[in-house]
């Protein structure tokens, strides 16, 4: 399937030319609009006051076809891994900005907005390995140590990338089933105060940037994760922590072909809006792990319909301002990388088809579903 109702990308350009010729021949503007505008997902998003973008790995910036697709579809990019603390400071005090710098100059050269992902990711496996030893050495005063670590890192990153206007300041601090804080070297000594330290430092260093708490609570039937995030944010906002938005990752695999609770999801989003927060869809993808059929057309159709349903609900909330996918194509999806957990793959071993474009960079029905959902979203400022 191709971006515009079955037209190939080459034909899309043809359609644009036919449209222009149509104008010359005096055809009505609405015919022209149907045929021609707008082509890319970000262009469609912008007509509703939204933005569209993707994650990209620093190592893939040399893939010409992918870059062309990003230029066509995206107004925003985010680094898949290059800004993470583990990548930036692999050894204590020794920094590697290669990937992050490459992504930042790509954004600059290609006129894309850049999101920063992420400053503090409390799970022990996501923090640099050297931290474990350092925390132990800090003895009784692990809280003071953790505060110092977070402040230094947040200030360093934000000062180095002053053009970034939206940062995931804290990522995945809440445990999905219990709703409690994720136990890790940084959260144990600080508890919820981890948010205070990180967000306040971020605000101090980048007074104008949008500061985001990012997590993967979903529209599934379990309430623990959603409630935990609500409690965390409510408490933080009461304490005056400067949070501007909630990032909803939206890796939808766990709910495709599983029960969902749309009402509870709407209620959750209402509560987020009532807190005065904006909402960003930060990492959308939809693994077809649970679709039993091996037939590609069936799998793609089901995935697209599911994504459309999810976006329709979530974009009906006018404080939802952005949709970013976690990779544009199946070829580059982390779900098809060697390290991706066996338990999250398809039981039949077939590669997952969770992104809007396939391995040949041809648009799939999911791309059309995103386009339709963006176009149908109520306009927002
Ligand atoms: C993932 C990357 O895609 C992988 O390449 C990496 O090995 C692990 O992290 N939630 C997040 C993202 O916030 O940072 C994760 O990205 C996917 C889940």
């Amino acid at each position: 399937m191709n971006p515009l109702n079955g037209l190939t990308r080459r034909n899309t350009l043809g359609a644009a030319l036919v449209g222009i010729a149509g104008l010359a021949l005096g055809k009505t503007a609405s015919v022209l609009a149907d045929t021609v505008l707008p082509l890319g997902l970000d262009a469609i998003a912008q007509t509703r006051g939204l933005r569209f973008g993707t994650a990209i790995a620093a190592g893939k910036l040399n893939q010409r076809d992918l870059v062309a697709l990003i230029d066509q579809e995206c107004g925003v990019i985010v680094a898949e891994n290059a800004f993470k603390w583990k990548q930036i400071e692999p050894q204590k005090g020794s920094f590697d900005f290669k990937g992050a710098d490459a992504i930042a100059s790509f954004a600059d050269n290609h006129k894309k907005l850049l999101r920063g992902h992420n400053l503090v990711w409390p799970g022990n496996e996501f923090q640099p390995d050297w931290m474990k030893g350092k925390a132990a050495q800090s003895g009784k005063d692990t809280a003071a140590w953790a505060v110092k670590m977070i402040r230094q890192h947040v200030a360093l990153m934000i000062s180095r990338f002053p053009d970034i206007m939206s940062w995931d300041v804290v990522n995945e601090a809440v445990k999905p089933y219990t709703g409690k804080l994720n136990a890790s070297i940084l959260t144990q000594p600080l508890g919820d105060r981890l948010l205070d330290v990180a967000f306040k430092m971020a605000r101090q260093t980048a007074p104008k940037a949008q500061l985001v708490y990012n997590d993967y609570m979903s529209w599934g039937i379990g309430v623990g994760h959603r409630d935990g995030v609500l409690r965390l944010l409510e408490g933080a906002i009461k304490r005056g922590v400067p949070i501007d938005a909630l990032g909803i990752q939206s890796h939808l695999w766990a709910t495709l072909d599983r029960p969902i609770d749309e009402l509870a999801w709407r209620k959750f989003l209402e509560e987020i809006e009532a807190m005065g927060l904006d909402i960003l869809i930060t990492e959308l993808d939809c693994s077809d792990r649970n679709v039993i059929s091996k037939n590609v057309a069936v799998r793609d159709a089901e995935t697209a319909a599911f994504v459309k349903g999810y976006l329709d609900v979530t974009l009906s909330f006018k404080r939802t301002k952005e949709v970013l996918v976690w990779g544009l194509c199946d070829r580059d999806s982390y779900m098809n990388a060697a390290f991706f957990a066996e338990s999250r793959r398809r039981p039949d071993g077939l590669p997952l088809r969770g992104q809007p474009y396939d391995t040949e960079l041809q648009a799939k029905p999911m791309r059309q579903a995103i386009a339709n959902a963006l176009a149908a979203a109520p306009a927002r400022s």
Side-chain angles (χ1 to χ4, degrees), residues 193-322:
R193 211 158 66 82
L194 174 125
L195 268 70
D196 305 42
V197 175
F199 278 90
K200 284 184 179 166
M201 194 66 206
R203 177 65 94 229
Q204 195 181 316
T205 324
K208 292 198 183 133
Q210 176 189 54
L211 305 183
V212 181
Y213 173 75
N214 193 49
D215 209 332
Y216 58 93
M217 63 279 124
S218 77
W219 66 348
I221 51 172
V223 294
H225 204 170
R226 284 192 299 267
D227 285 355
V229 169
L230 285 176
R231 273 198 306 274
L232 183 75
L233 294 177
E234 258 161 20
I237 288 167
K238 258 193 214 132
R239 296 193 303 278
V241 176
I243 302 179
D244 301 313
L246 172 66
I248 299 173
Q249 293 183 2
S250 310
H251 299 286
L252 300 183
W253 72 279
T255 49
L256 173 60
D257 259 1
R258 295 284 184 271
I260 57 161
D261 189 343
E262 187 185 316
L263 214 61
W265 187 238
R266 287 183 185 276
K267 181 106 197 319
F268 173 78
L269 297 173
E270 270 165 26
E271 293 196 41
I272 295 296
E273 285 200 339
M275 286 182 209
L277 297 177
D278 279 337
I279 297 167
L280 312 176
I281 294 177
T282 49
E283 304 182 17
L284 176 69
D285 53 26
C286 185
S287 145
D288 58 341
R289 181 194 185 291
N290 302 330
V291 181
I292 292 161
S293 173
K294 290 185 178 183
N295 182 305
V296 163
V298 172
R299 291 164 58 191
D300 286 357
E302 197 170 327
T303 306
F306 195 75
V307 169
K308 174 75 164 52
Y310 177 79
L311 289 178
D312 282 346
V313 173
T314 310
L315 293 177
S316 72
F317 288 80
K318 287 199 181 171
R319 293 201 74 149
T320 307
K321 298 286 172 61
E322 263 175 38

Side-chain angles (χ1 to χ4, degrees), residues 80-81 84 117 121 171-172 249 251 283 326 334 339:
E80 186 174 350
N81 290 308
K84 292 173 182 168
H117 172 81
W121 191 358
N171 194 39
E172 300 180 2
Q249 293 183 2
H251 299 286
E283 304 182 17
W326 205 241
Y334 84 120
F339 61 74

Side-chain angles (χ1 to χ4, degrees), residues 72-266:
Q72 177 194 308
E73 298 284 42
C74 300
V76 191
I77 59 164
V78 62
E80 186 174 350
N81 290 308
F83 280 72
K84 292 173 182 168
W85 200 336
K86 230 180 159 150
Q87 259 73 17
I88 293 287
E89 194 177 358
Q91 311 294 331
K92 171 86 190 110
S94 138
F95 299 92
D96 179 357
F97 287 107
K98 263 199 313 296
D101 285 345
I103 297 260
S105 48
F106 176 88
D108 201 26
N109 293 337
H110 290 251
K111 309 226 173 334
K112 308 293 174 202
L113 297 169
L114 178 59
R115 300 206 63 247
H117 172 81
N118 55 59
L119 294 173
V120 184
W121 191 358
N124 276 347
E125 67 274 39
F126 306 121
Q127 290 157 182
D129 295 334
W130 55 261
M131 264 192 195
K132 285 174 208 140
K134 291 284 165 192
Q137 276 169 31
S138 66
K140 273 196 294 180
D141 220 355
T142 42
W145 170 84
V147 168
K148 190 170 148 214
M149 287 292 104
I150 293 171
R151 284 202 182 132
Q152 272 177 359
H153 180 68
V154 168
L156 171 79
M157 291 301 288
I158 296 186
S159 320
R160 182 157 181 123
F161 300 100
D163 293 338
I164 292 186
M165 291 313 288
S166 177
W167 282 98
D168 289 337
V169 179
V170 176
N171 194 39
E172 300 180 2
V174 172
K175 274 203 204 146
Y177 297 108
T178 61
K180 298 224 168 81
L181 211 61
N182 226 341
S184 85
I185 300 163
L186 293 175
T187 49
Q188 253 151 3
L190 296 177
D192 292 8
R193 211 158 66 82
L194 174 125
L195 268 70
D196 305 42
V197 175
F199 278 90
K200 284 184 179 166
M201 194 66 206
R203 177 65 94 229
Q204 195 181 316
T205 324
K208 292 198 183 133
Q210 176 189 54
L211 305 183
V212 181
Y213 173 75
N214 193 49
D215 209 332
Y216 58 93
M217 63 279 124
S218 77
W219 66 348
I221 51 172
V223 294
H225 204 170
R226 284 192 299 267
D227 285 355
V229 169
L230 285 176
R231 273 198 306 274
L232 183 75
L233 294 177
E234 258 161 20
I237 288 167
K238 258 193 214 132
R239 296 193 303 278
V241 176
I243 302 179
D244 301 313
L246 172 66
I248 299 173
Q249 293 183 2
S250 310
H251 299 286
L252 300 183
W253 72 279
T255 49
L256 173 60
D257 259 1
R258 295 284 184 271
I260 57 161
D261 189 343
E262 187 185 316
L263 214 61
W265 187 238
R266 287 183 185 276

